[in-house]
Amino acid sequence: MLNERGKSSLFDSDYLPSRQLLLSASLSACVVCFSICSKMDGVTLPRESGRIITETAKDVFIDQDGIAKVAQVIVDKVKKKEFDVKTWKEHPLNPKTSDKAAVDWVFLADTLNFSFWSEDERKKYMVKYKGGEHTGYWSLCAAMNRAIDEGIPIMDPNYYATISHNDFMKVFRSDSDHDIPLIDKRIEIMQEAGKVLLKKYTGSFVNCIEECDKSAQKLLQLIVRDFPSYRDVVSYNGKQLGILKRAQILIADVWGACEGKGLGEFTDIDTITMFADYRIPQALVYFGAMKYSESLMEKLKKDTRMENGDRLEVEIRGVSIWVTELIRDEVVKMLKADPETKDVNVNAVLIDHYLWDYRRDHATDMADIPFHKVRCIYY
């Protein structure tokens, strides 16, 4: 449980001039979105969770000037035609097809998509593949692709449902002196996911998708219901709030892999929020769209480890979700005001992709902005 709170200081902050800013995304969202995206079996879903957390946050705040700054950068990218779902395939490690093989690759990648940060930035898990040295999430992708090239049936749930420690270490062997974090948890989660696919979905995530009638929200519910490692939910002020980072990014990556068509066509993809991890907050703070209290910044600079579910961690993740919703609303407003871009659609998924890539490309510029460190399976 998180600490009980008194009256929120959020609305007293210079960072937020009025409640109108906080509520603006709610007012601009369609009624249908709110009706399908607020609750799931007693758990509040990410968009509404972000709003609830932002309303009572004590140490993380939103800033309108920073929101406008990010929005303008994104609008400029849109006008240059550099902001599109098709950019997902441009990364050399991502699948280049939009078929069953690509979807099952995405499923395994996102099932293991968590906790890549290093205690020491000089000591990282690293995988060499096709002339590149890959760290972070891309080290996972490189290891999977290397295994495929080596003839290891890593995409087959019959294989990974019973994967041994030795086989796992062969597939995900490091080309540095440092192994991938949380090895035992990754093995457990691979086995669990493989067994569910074999028992309920004849061995392919494609069958999960086909049960959901092109609805991202139905697929989100299926993932959280049937795959326990995706249940990224926090207890906050007596409420069960879903953050659901990996479940949402799984849906978004299927959408990206299939360019929003075929297996990746979701009529409600715009209801998916950003994916609250430990890197996007860095970018949001860098742009000034999100701000930390002095005490929180000091704590982060001391490299203090947090636990999943701590109040400060929940505030960072929850406010990140809501800030991104506000950025999306500002972008949409700006695009609609211009006849050349009035029909362009931008959602939180694309904004997340941009911020994540920007953070990685400008890591040196953000070196003085600490990220919160939590060792868990959810991000």
Side-chain angles (χ1 to χ4, degrees):
M1 291 292 291
L2 301 175
N3 296 332
E4 290 294 319
R5 302 164 182 222
K7 182 178 179 181
S8 169
S9 62
L10 176 63
F11 298 114
D12 298 328
S13 168
D14 291 337
Y15 302 140
L16 185 60
S18 73
R19 286 180 181 263
Q20 289 303 112
L21 174 60
L22 181 63
L23 297 175
S24 64
S26 298
L27 295 174
S28 63
C30 66
V31 174
V32 173
C33 172
F34 245 80
S35 67
I36 65 174
C37 300
S38 294
K39 286 281 187 180
M40 176 179 65
D41 294 332
V43 174
T44 301
L45 292 185
R47 188 177 190 281
E48 180 69 356
S49 294
R51 184 191 65 79
I52 290 170
I53 293 165
T54 303
E55 282 185 332
T56 53
K58 292 181 178 180
D59 289 278
V60 186
F61 314 102
I62 58 180
D63 184 280
Q64 180 59 45
D65 290 340
I67 288 169
K69 180 180 178 181
V70 181
Q72 185 61 62
V73 170
I74 291 171
V75 168
D76 291 343
K77 287 283 184 181
V78 169
K79 289 182 177 180
K80 294 176 182 177
K81 303 190 185 304
E82 297 175 355
F83 209 80
D84 188 87
V85 64
K86 295 180 181 179
T87 60
W88 190 91
K89 284 186 175 178
E90 292 177 2
H91 195 282
L93 295 178
N94 281 339
K96 299 300 178 277
T97 61
S98 301
D99 55 6
K100 175 182 178 296
V103 168
D104 286 336
W105 185 98
V106 165
F107 174 74
L108 183 59
D110 285 325
T111 295
L112 298 175
N113 183 3
F114 55 86
S115 201
F116 296 102
W117 59 270
S118 303
E119 297 283 356
D120 185 335
E121 286 294 298
R122 299 167 298 178
K123 300 177 180 179
K124 295 181 177 181
Y125 171 64
M126 184 270 289
V127 174
K128 294 180 180 179
Y129 182 69
K130 290 191 174 180
E133 295 186 355
H134 305 280
T135 59
Y137 167 70
W138 295 119
S139 62
L140 173 78
C141 301
M144 288 170 51
N145 290 345
R146 179 180 63 189
I148 293 170
D149 292 350
E150 293 172 351
I152 298 172
I154 188 63
M155 294 298 108
D156 184 352
N158 287 288
Y159 174 79
Y160 63 78
T162 58
I163 192 168
S164 67
H165 185 276
N166 286 342
D167 285 343
F168 179 92
M169 295 306 294
K170 179 180 179 180
V171 170
F172 295 102
R173 65 187 182 274
S174 180
D175 289 308
S176 71
D177 293 330
H178 310 284
D179 290 330
I180 192 169
L182 298 179
I183 291 169
D184 289 342
K185 291 302 295 184
R186 292 180 196 276
I187 294 171
E188 176 187 330
I189 287 168
M190 282 182 78
Q191 292 173 345
E192 176 186 80
K195 289 171 183 174
V196 172
L197 282 184
L198 292 171
K199 181 179 179 179
K200 301 191 69 171
Y201 298 106
T202 61
S204 177
F205 190 66
V206 165
N207 296 315
C208 300
I209 295 170
E210 290 180 342
E211 280 198 12
C212 294
D213 303 320
K214 299 183 179 180
S215 169
Q217 287 300 316
K218 287 183 179 179
L219 184 55
L220 184 65
Q221 293 184 43
L222 181 151
I223 293 165
V224 175
R225 182 192 71 208
D226 290 346
F227 298 93
S229 75
Y230 283 89
R231 294 172 190 162
D232 180 9
V233 177
V234 297
S235 181
Y236 179 87
N237 286 352
K239 297 182 176 69
Q240 295 297 301
L241 302 183
I243 307 296
L244 305 181
K245 183 262 184 180
R246 287 200 295 116
Q248 291 202 113
I249 203 170
L250 171 54
I251 295 167
D253 282 349
V254 169
W255 181 65
C258 300
E259 299 181 342
K261 297 176 286 187
L263 293 168
E265 181 183 356
F266 301 108
T267 57
D268 56 349
I269 190 64
D270 292 352
T271 65
I272 297 297
T273 72
M274 62 81 74
F275 324 120
D277 65 356
Y278 50 89
R279 289 306 192 185
I280 299 296
Q282 273 188 297
L284 291 170
V285 171
Y286 175 80
F287 279 109
M290 191 166 82
K291 295 183 181 291
Y292 295 151
S293 68
E294 290 184 10
S295 61
L296 173 55
M297 184 62 82
E298 185 67 22
K299 188 181 183 78
L300 294 175
K301 285 182 176 179
K302 289 180 179 178
D303 231 15
T304 305
R305 178 88 70 93
M306 296 182 187
E307 296 297 324
N308 182 231
D310 284 353
R311 176 181 67 82
L312 292 173
E313 183 231 22
V314 172
E315 287 189 11
I316 291 170
R317 299 183 78 200
V319 177
S320 294
I321 291 172
W322 194 247
V323 168
T324 306
E325 291 297 301
L326 295 174
I327 292 169
R328 188 273 318 274
D329 281 5
E330 184 68 18
V331 168
V332 170
K333 183 174 71 174
M334 293 169 71
L335 292 176
K336 288 189 179 301
D338 187 333
E340 292 184 6
T341 58
K342 63 183 179 66
D343 296 323
V344 176
N345 183 50
V346 169
N347 56 34
V349 173
L350 295 175
I351 293 172
D352 180 286
H353 288 172
Y354 172 74
L355 292 172
W356 195 85
D357 288 340
Y358 188 95
R359 200 292 313 172
R360 195 170 179 88
D361 293 342
H362 297 81
T364 302
D365 297 337
M366 298 187 200
D368 62 336
I369 301 173
F371 65 90
H372 68 288
K373 293 183 175 179
V374 175
R375 188 67 79 191
C376 70
I377 66 170
Y378 297 119
Y379 64 102

